[in-house]
């Protein structure tokens, strides 16, 4: 629709609502027929003299009315009468991220492993599996294959600690593994302890299945033992969820002395521990794992999403002795079980050595991008790590975390504000945002850094709103 331009000179109310109403009217009059592509948000914003955010909100309102459908990379199209909207409407359980990112957005709210040529390797292994196991592909998985357990053992091994295959449960990613552990060792109403800042999707998921969330304070070395001790004495949590290596989002690596202190408190109060090692697998030097310090109470979780390929959905959990069958049952009850193709693919990636080779290339790519971030954002305060796929950006006055996230979105960059990582309500304010730079092409990451730099250098731009 290169010659179409809506007239916004008439009407009242917010500009984005008037734009949505005008587009709806033109759809109704046939000016915009079924299948017509609406202009890209940036182009229409320029032609109308408004912000991209105004156009984005208008397009979002049209999606909610069932009038258009948007697909990342393809654009926004007018739907026919009775045609279902293919894009889901965001719901509150999903956190602060929109389920409909919109077109022309740079997704810097994801930390999946960057593209380093995985597809050809995964494609070849997948072809081998389908050719060798045609019967297994079309059937249910009754029990994990020995190779799947061996792969988990190999992938989760850190330093001197090597889990036994009989402690391994293969899962569809780390998130599913952690939820299975929570379901296996806690009951509705039990309290689960999380850092105040953490991978909050687990906290929300636990809350969804009836567990109560309590928050632990933290400092520059990670989880605060003193606050953990206080919490255990007063709140009696059944389980604590920890990210001791490359913490998400603060990038803290918990020192060994702190790990030992946390373990002793957990033993004293009989608290189960979940050690999320998804990001720790990117570290060149592996600190002693909590599972090595407290094997009798620690569930050690790892996977391939940050190091190999998120789309494979591969994860493993190493359980304390005799707990694997219980976690396996809980996992199957929650998810319906594992697909043969994905678990066999994950095992072959690991046992063939391809996963390690990909991890090395991913690590090298992340180092280049982290260096690029330090160059493009020089002079601004942020935490980063040469092997991590994100940075934790400190905002100067007058920025608030949520305000900066919205301003970045208006500039076409999707990032996460601090609320995305809060395990619960807290008076603590960090004035930070997380910027992921791994799951989009390197040139787009560079573009994203430049757009964020422009906002940081010109804070008044964040107040430009016609909505």
């Amino acid at each position: 629709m290169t010659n179409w331009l809506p007239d916004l000179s008439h009407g009242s109310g917010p500009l984005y609502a008037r734009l949505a109403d005008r587009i709806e009217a033109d759809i109704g009059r046939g000016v915009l027929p079924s299948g017509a592509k609406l202009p890209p948000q940036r182009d229409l914003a320029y032609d109308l003299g408004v912000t991209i955010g105004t156009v984005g909100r208008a397009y979002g309102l049209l999606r909610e009315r069932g009038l258009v459908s948007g697909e990342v990379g393809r654009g926004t199209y007018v739907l026919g009468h009775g045609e279902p909207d293919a894009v889901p409407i965001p719901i509150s359980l999903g956190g602060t991220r929109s389920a409909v990112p919109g077109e022309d957005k740079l997704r810097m709210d994801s930390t999946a492993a960057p593209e380093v040529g995985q597809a050809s390797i995964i494609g070849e292994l997948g072809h081998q599996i389908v050719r060798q196991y045609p019967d297994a592909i079309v059937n249910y998985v009754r029990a994990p294959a020995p190779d799947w357990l061996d792969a988990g053992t190999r992938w989760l091994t850190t330093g001197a600690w090597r889990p036994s295959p009989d402690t391994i449960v293969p899962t569809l990613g780390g998130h599913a593994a952690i939820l299975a552990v929570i379901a296996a060792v806690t009951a509705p109403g039990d309290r689960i302890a999380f850092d105040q800042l953490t991978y909050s999707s687990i906290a929300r998921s636990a809350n969804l299945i009836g567990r109560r969330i309590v928050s632990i304070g933290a400092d520059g070395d990670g989880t605060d033992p003193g606050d953990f001790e206080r919490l255990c004495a007063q709140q009696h949590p059944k389980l604590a969820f920890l990210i001791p290596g490359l913490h998400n989002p603060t990038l803290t690596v918990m020192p060994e002395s702190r790990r030992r202190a946390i373990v002793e408190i957990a033993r004293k109060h009989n608290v189960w521990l979940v050690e999320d090692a998804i990001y720790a697998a990117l570290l060149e030097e592996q600190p002693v794992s909590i599972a090595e310090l407290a094997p009798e109470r620690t569930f050690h979780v790892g996977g391939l999403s940050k190091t190999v390929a998120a789309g494979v959905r591969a994860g493993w959990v190493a359980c304390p002795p005799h707990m694997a069958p219980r976690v396996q049952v809980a996992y199957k009850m929650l998810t319906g079980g594992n697909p043969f193709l994905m678990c066999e693919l994950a095992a072959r990636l690991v046992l063939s050595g391809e996963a390690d080779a990909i991890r090395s290339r991913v690590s090298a790519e992340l180092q280049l991008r982290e260096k690029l971030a330090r160059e493009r954002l020089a002079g601004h305060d942020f935490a980063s790590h040469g092997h991590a796929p994100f940075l934790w950006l400190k905002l100067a006055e007058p920025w608030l975390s949520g305000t900066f996230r919205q301003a970045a979105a208006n500039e076409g960059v999707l990032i996460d504000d601090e609320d995305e990582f809060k395990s619960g309500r807290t008076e603590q304010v960090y004035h930070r945002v997380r910027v992921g730079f791994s799951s989009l092409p390197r040139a787009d990451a560079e573009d994203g850094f430049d757009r964020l730099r422009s906002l940081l250098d010109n804070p008044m731009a964040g107040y430009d709103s016609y909505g």
Side-chain angles (χ1 to χ4, degrees):
M1 302 298 297
T2 55
N3 298 321
W4 172 82
L5 192 67
D7 180 9
L8 302 182
S9 60
H10 304 289
S12 60
L15 197 59
Y16 77 89
R18 284 164 37 203
L19 176 56
D21 290 340
R22 174 52 57 191
I23 295 174
E24 180 176 1
D26 284 350
I27 291 174
R29 294 188 298 112
V31 176
L32 294 172
S34 174
K37 182 180 180 180
L38 297 184
Q41 294 180 26
R42 185 174 294 276
D43 293 352
L44 185 57
Y46 178 83
D47 291 337
L48 294 175
V50 302
T51 66
I52 297 175
T54 295
V55 179
R57 293 180 71 181
Y59 281 17
L61 191 57
L62 292 168
R63 280 192 290 269
E64 293 181 14
R65 295 175 182 177
L67 298 173
V68 301
S69 175
E71 295 183 29
V72 179
R74 291 192 63 243
T76 302
Y77 293 83
V78 176
L79 292 171
H81 294 294
E83 184 179 351
D85 189 346
V87 181
I89 297 174
I91 59 175
S92 59
L93 291 176
T96 65
R97 295 172 184 158
S98 172
V100 186
E103 59 187 75
D104 301 328
K105 299 291 187 183
L106 298 178
R107 297 222 62 161
M108 303 187 82
D109 58 352
S110 174
T111 56
E115 196 282 318
V116 292
Q118 299 98 318
S120 60
I121 298 168
I122 292 170
E124 177 58 30
L125 290 176
H127 181 68
Q128 293 175 12
I129 294 166
V130 173
R131 187 174 63 248
Q132 293 173 14
Y133 297 102
D135 294 336
I137 295 298
V138 298
N139 212 333
Y140 293 109
V141 173
R142 305 298 178 183
D147 282 354
W148 303 357
L149 307 181
D150 291 340
T153 290
R154 176 167 172 173
W155 192 253
L156 298 182
T157 293
T158 59
W161 178 74
R162 181 179 180 85
S164 171
D166 62 8
T167 69
I168 300 295
V169 178
T171 63
L172 283 172
H175 186 107
I178 297 163
L179 262 293
V181 170
I182 290 172
V185 302
T186 69
D190 284 344
R191 291 179 173 87
I192 301 177
F194 291 84
D195 290 334
Q196 286 183 355
L197 291 177
T198 188
Y199 176 42
S200 62
S201 289
I202 294 296
R204 295 175 186 138
S205 298
N207 195 21
L208 186 65
I209 59 174
R211 277 59 172 175
R212 291 185 286 176
I213 308 306
V214 292
S215 297
I216 319 169
D219 58 22
D221 285 335
T223 306
D224 182 357
D227 201 48
F228 185 40
E229 175 80 60
R230 175 197 61 79
L231 192 71
C232 289
Q234 295 178 359
Q235 301 276 354
H236 310 294
K238 192 72 174 290
L239 179 147
F241 174 80
L242 307 171
I243 313 176
L246 278 181
H247 182 273
N248 181 23
T250 67
L251 292 165
T252 300
V253 178
M254 188 185 293
E256 182 175 337
S257 59
R258 178 65 58 90
R259 296 174 188 231
R260 292 185 180 277
I262 294 296
V263 162
E264 289 309 307
I265 295 167
R267 284 195 174 118
K268 176 181 176 182
H269 294 277
N270 196 27
V271 178
W272 293 107
L273 300 174
V274 171
E275 180 180 24
D276 183 346
I278 292 289
Y279 290 103
L282 290 164
L283 293 171
E284 284 186 339
E285 295 185 9
Q286 293 289 334
V288 60
S289 69
I290 290 179
E292 181 177 354
L293 298 175
E296 82 286 355
R297 65 184 58 256
T298 304
F299 298 86
H300 183 93
V301 178
L304 303 184
S305 61
K306 314 303 180 185
T307 47
V308 179
V312 174
R313 303 307 303 135
W316 298 270
V317 52
C319 305
H322 314 300
M323 290 299 295
R326 187 171 179 177
V327 173
Q328 178 68 52
V329 170
Y331 172 74
K332 188 169 184 179
M333 294 294 288
L334 286 171
T335 67
N338 281 322
F340 177 87
L341 179 59
M342 302 309 286
C343 286
E344 181 66 18
L345 174 60
R348 292 196 181 196
L349 280 166
V350 172
L351 297 177
S352 68
E354 292 287 5
D356 284 323
I358 293 171
R359 174 164 53 183
S360 295
R361 296 201 297 275
V362 164
S363 180
E365 178 64 24
L366 291 178
Q367 290 182 68
L368 290 174
R369 295 182 183 213
E370 192 264 348
K371 180 181 178 182
L372 184 63
R374 285 190 279 108
E375 293 172 352
R376 294 296 181 176
L377 299 176
H380 292 281
D381 185 5
F382 60 89
S384 67
H385 190 286
H387 297 283
F390 61 88
L391 58 88
W392 186 227
L393 176 65
K394 179 72 173 179
L395 301 173
E397 292 281 359
W399 287 114
L400 302 174
S401 179
T403 307
F404 188 82
R405 178 181 66 87
Q406 184 58 54
N410 290 345
E411 294 302 313
V413 183
L414 301 182
I415 59 175
D416 288 312
D417 63 31
E418 64 188 48
D419 285 349
E420 175 62 30
F421 304 98
K422 289 180 178 177
S423 56
R425 295 185 62 174
T426 174
E427 296 179 357
Q428 180 70 44
V429 179
Y430 302 90
H431 299 305
R432 286 184 180 266
V433 293
R434 194 192 76 170
V435 181
F437 47 77
S438 59
S439 62
L440 69 174
R442 193 192 306 168
D444 286 347
E446 184 173 4
D447 183 16
F449 293 141
D450 288 342
R451 297 190 199 185
L452 295 177
R453 174 78 192 231
S454 179
L455 283 176
L456 292 167
D457 290 344
N458 302 281
M460 291 305 295
Y463 295 100
D464 182 19
S465 172
Y466 294 86

